Amino acid sequence: MTLQAHTIKLKDYTPPAYLVTQIDLDFDLYDSHTLVRSTLQVHRNPLVPPKTTLLLHGEKLTLKHIKLNKKDLDPKNYQVNSTTLSLFNPPETFTLSIETEIKPHENTELEGLYQSNGLFCTQCEAEGFRKITYFPDRPDVMSRFTTTIRANKTQFPVLLSNGNKTQSGDLANERHFVTWEDPFSKPCYLFALVAGDLSVLKDHYITQSQRRIALEIYVASHDIDKCQHAMDSLKNAMRWDEETFGLEYDLDNYLIVAVSDFNMGAMENKGLNVFNTKYVLADHQTATDNDYEGVESVIAHEYFHNWTGNRVTCRDWFQLSLKEGLTVFRDQQFSADMSQKAVKRIQDVNILRNAQFSEDAGPMSHPIQPQSYVSINNFYTVTVYNKGAEVVRMIHTLLGIEGFRKGMDLYFQRHDSQAVTTEEFVAAMEDANDYDLKQFRLWYTQSGTPIVQVDSHYDATTQLFTLTFRQHTPATADQTEKQPLLIPMNMTLLDPQGQTLPQSTRTLVLQEAEESFTFKNLPVEPTPSLLRNFSAPIKLQQDHDLDKLTFLFSHDDDPFNRWDAGQQLFSQTILQNMMTPEAGADNFSQLSQAVLHTLQHPSLDKSLIAQALTLPSENYLSEQLPFDALTSVDAQLIHQTRQQLLAQLATALKTPLFDLYSKLNSRLQSTTDTTTTRGLRKLKNLCLSYLMTLKDDDITTLAYQQFEQSNNMTDTITALGLLANTPCPQRSMALDSFYQKWQHEALVVDKWFGVQATSRLPDTLTRVKRLLQHEAFDINNPNKLRSLISTFCFANPALFHAKDGSGYQFLTQQILDIDNRNPHMAARLASAFNRWKKYTPDNQEKIHTQLEIIGNTENLSKDTTEIISRSLQSA
């Protein structure tokens, strides 16, 4: 079976035939429809020949009128089909006026202009603007926008768009209007419109040049008291960007709107950012510590896009990482400066290892600059975003803080108000620093996760220590031939006491398939600490035995490497127990002592301890299996073995775990909420999660007491999640009382769905199916889909990969149902099947059957078609 879909290729890029310097938009919003009038100032691009046809994109539009230079256009001079409007032989320069009708209330795809919960909202990235009006919907057509919105004043008192407000007033029939003008040229994907009955939190920010910026966050009235953290995060981000990169905000106001129905996390539309409520609303009763960190990070990310994405945007969608990878790097740096740097770095790497490394090894493998796509929606990936950020971080490592800043300054100087390529970004870094990044460019075009093997040799006679590195990148679904990459390797050498040897801390630059580095005058054999702070997105293979890993876990002064040594200890133990259970017993005593040493360490940050003692996820473990020994992944065996190790450690360390839990719980009663407090809570809850594996009634009672007595959502939801995983009377009591208390808080109900979807109890899938019919579940709301369906399929591998194939059948049913409503979300769900070839033959057969069922479905969206077809091609 072959699924047909049109493929767009980078090599086929051609510049736009016509440019639009100005677009005036006029919206008349009604309950049953919306009229959109657009007036475009158009001129031919000098790069293309005269009389070239003008192609405008448009989908699901009803064309009402079209005029050229204020005269009705003769039908023989244009042609309309389901996706385009073509104008034949247009003049060199002209005004084009178009009126279309759309039906936002019928738009369940949540792209273009849609209506939900009494609110009009837009989402135009990547190709949503074509569902509003006919336009050359591509990022290299940059225009100045003026937008007038008309609507009923009672229903829609708030009318927002990009730029600065220039006019407003009342109209007949209880309607009113507002006009917005954006003085900066932008591509149409950055257009935004919001209309509704919203409350606003107002503040201001004084820039370094003493300009006063009005800051406004718009939300539903019952959520207005949950916006202060978002406002504080915004002001911190504005200050940080000025101090770190010299970048000052450029409009008179900065607006944020939080909406409950949104496919993305947020969108950086110029001057009017539209956010998923998940990344704006936070107070200590309804939001966890992780939620607070998420709000801070995403608020900053979208603000930073004002320069890295808006003022300088991408020429085409193959350059998506130009703005996203760079901006993720910037928000990671900001978040690290706002919190505990080491923990933030570990969290960022965890996302890469758990999600992106798997993507690199699967059928959707692609470089951070893809060479082709069917649906661009499918390339908003961890590769483009998170690996893209790691590639930018490597440039930062190679050039240093000052060199990177020089490169950024030159980048903005050269390309402000332009749509550019990743090549031009790298060129600015090169030219500003006189640094050759020719080989480094391969990171943009070569897919896959490089593997670097390290061998060491010490000669006591000559006192020479040699490190030999061998790099290779395995073939991927999209590329077979790979070249050696330029890899920055941060390192140091440790003496037997764990102290750094003088002059050994440096950045090695790997460039060849194999190369060696020698260190002189070392009287004793050192232990290398390599890839410090995870200086490159690679898999580092070292032949470290248990003793060496334990040494690094106890002594390495690089927090990332200390954590990573612990992760290797845990992983080796779990995988060894899976293959030869009797062999692992001899090493358990050493492992438990290393865990105890870390647990009771007097000077380590509490967040870092909690991170260090969190076992690798089941998904990560499935990627670590040595396929020469085990030919396939048994998700149930991985889960059982991981749980057994947790229970063994909890049994061996029950007293210190319980004592530390009690001590931290008592200390937190009188501690205000700070970054330190979050670390204390994280470690306290880690202790409780270990103890709950003992299936001890007293511990279960302790968890229920925490659930009942908690004064913050972090402790509450942790206890609820642990109880949801435990077959005990308190389980139902806690789940029922939680919902009764929080049923009117949508984001909290999402957490309630999530803890049930991640439960490893045998009846979980039955419960998930029942929850699909729950009064609080809405199949059209992306947050609900993510909290229940996605959570089960992506975060509960043991039950999703059940031997009977029930998890696969469930997912197929959901994909086919959702694809008709929201292709973007259906395709995201379909990616849960991507790594199907790594599971047991029986599981593979069952997944393949479901892939064919989906692939044979008529009228499947191009988003889902691409995911399914590439998965089937990997067979």
Side-chain angles (χ1 to χ4, degrees), residues 209-474:
S209 65
Q210 299 304 300
R211 291 176 56 245
R212 182 185 175 95
I213 311 298
L215 308 178
E216 299 177 358
I217 300 179
Y218 290 85
V219 296
S221 59
H222 61 271
D223 288 325
I224 195 66
D225 59 345
K226 303 184 188 75
C227 297
Q228 190 58 52
H229 176 60
M231 183 65 80
D232 294 341
S233 299
L234 173 59
K235 293 166 76 172
N236 288 337
M238 297 176 83
R239 185 176 303 109
W240 184 89
D241 215 16
E242 289 180 338
E243 295 172 350
T244 307
F245 289 106
L247 299 174
E248 187 175 292
Y249 188 62
D250 49 11
L251 291 171
D252 297 337
N253 51 57
Y254 187 88
L255 313 180
I256 288 173
V257 180
V259 298
S260 57
D261 291 310
F262 203 64
N263 283 337
M264 310 287 192
M267 179 59 209
E268 70 268 18
N269 321 291
K270 180 71 177 180
L272 174 58
N273 289 181
V274 180
F275 274 68
N276 191 314
T277 51
K278 178 178 174 63
Y279 295 109
V280 171
L281 307 181
D283 66 20
H284 298 300
Q285 294 303 307
T286 60
T288 65
D289 292 338
N290 287 340
D291 291 333
Y292 268 78
E293 292 171 3
V295 168
E296 180 181 68
S297 174
V298 178
I299 288 283
H301 179 96
E302 305 309 329
Y303 173 75
F304 296 152
H305 264 313
N306 185 63
W307 280 92
T308 51
N310 296 2
R311 287 285 289 264
V312 183
T313 194
C314 46
R315 184 196 72 178
D316 53 70
W317 292 120
F318 297 101
Q319 320 299 328
L320 182 58
S321 198
L322 173 79
K323 73 183 186 75
E324 295 300 349
L326 176 56
T327 305
V328 169
F329 169 74
R330 279 158 40 77
D331 84 54
Q332 289 176 351
Q333 295 291 87
F334 164 77
S335 296
D337 285 346
M338 295 296 108
S339 60
Q340 221 281 1
K341 288 180 183 293
V343 173
K344 173 60 179 168
R345 185 65 184 133
I346 290 167
Q347 292 169 343
D348 293 338
V349 175
N350 249 337
I351 294 172
L352 198 79
R353 286 181 167 178
N354 279 278
Q356 196 280 319
F357 282 10
S358 176
E359 187 167 86
D360 259 345
M364 286 298 291
S365 175
H366 58 278
I368 65 172
Q369 184 189 67
Q371 300 301 297
S372 66
Y373 62 80
V374 172
S375 171
I376 186 55
N377 288 337
N378 291 331
F379 285 84
Y380 283 74
T381 62
V382 283
T383 296
V384 167
Y385 278 64
N386 299 77
K387 185 176 181 179
E390 295 298 321
V391 171
V392 174
R393 185 181 295 272
M394 285 190 287
I395 296 176
H396 188 273
T397 297
L398 292 166
L399 302 181
I401 295 173
E402 292 184 4
F404 187 82
R405 170 65 188 273
K406 285 168 58 180
M408 290 288 283
D409 289 346
L410 183 59
Y411 175 61
F412 294 125
Q413 177 187 327
R414 283 179 174 177
H415 302 299
D416 189 10
S417 300
Q418 295 179 15
V420 300
T421 65
T422 56
E423 173 68 27
E424 287 164 303
F425 171 75
V426 177
M429 290 291 165
E430 282 183 316
D431 295 346
N433 293 276
D434 193 24
Y435 194 103
D436 184 1
L437 291 170
K438 180 179 180 181
Q439 183 184 8
F440 185 84
R441 284 172 169 78
L442 286 170
W443 281 103
Y444 284 90
T445 57
Q446 184 164 290
S447 61
T449 304
I451 297 173
V452 176
Q453 296 172 305
V454 187
D455 293 320
S456 62
H457 175 73
Y458 177 68
D459 189 324
T461 303
T462 60
Q463 297 188 351
L464 297 178
F465 180 71
T466 302
L467 289 170
T468 299
F469 298 89
R470 299 177 182 86
Q471 65 158 296
H472 76 283
T473 303

Side-chain angles (χ1 to χ4, degrees), residues 15 55 108 177 253 304 383 400 541 640 718 745 767 792 807 831:
L55 186 70
T108 61
F177 80 96
N253 51 57
F304 296 152
T383 296
Q541 295 184 347
Q640 292 165 7
T718 298
E745 294 284 352
R767 179 177 286 268
F792 174 78
S831 66

Side-chain angles (χ1 to χ4, degrees), residues 185-196:
S185 295
K186 64 175 180 285
C188 63
Y189 82 84
L190 291 172
F191 171 77
L193 179 154
V194 173

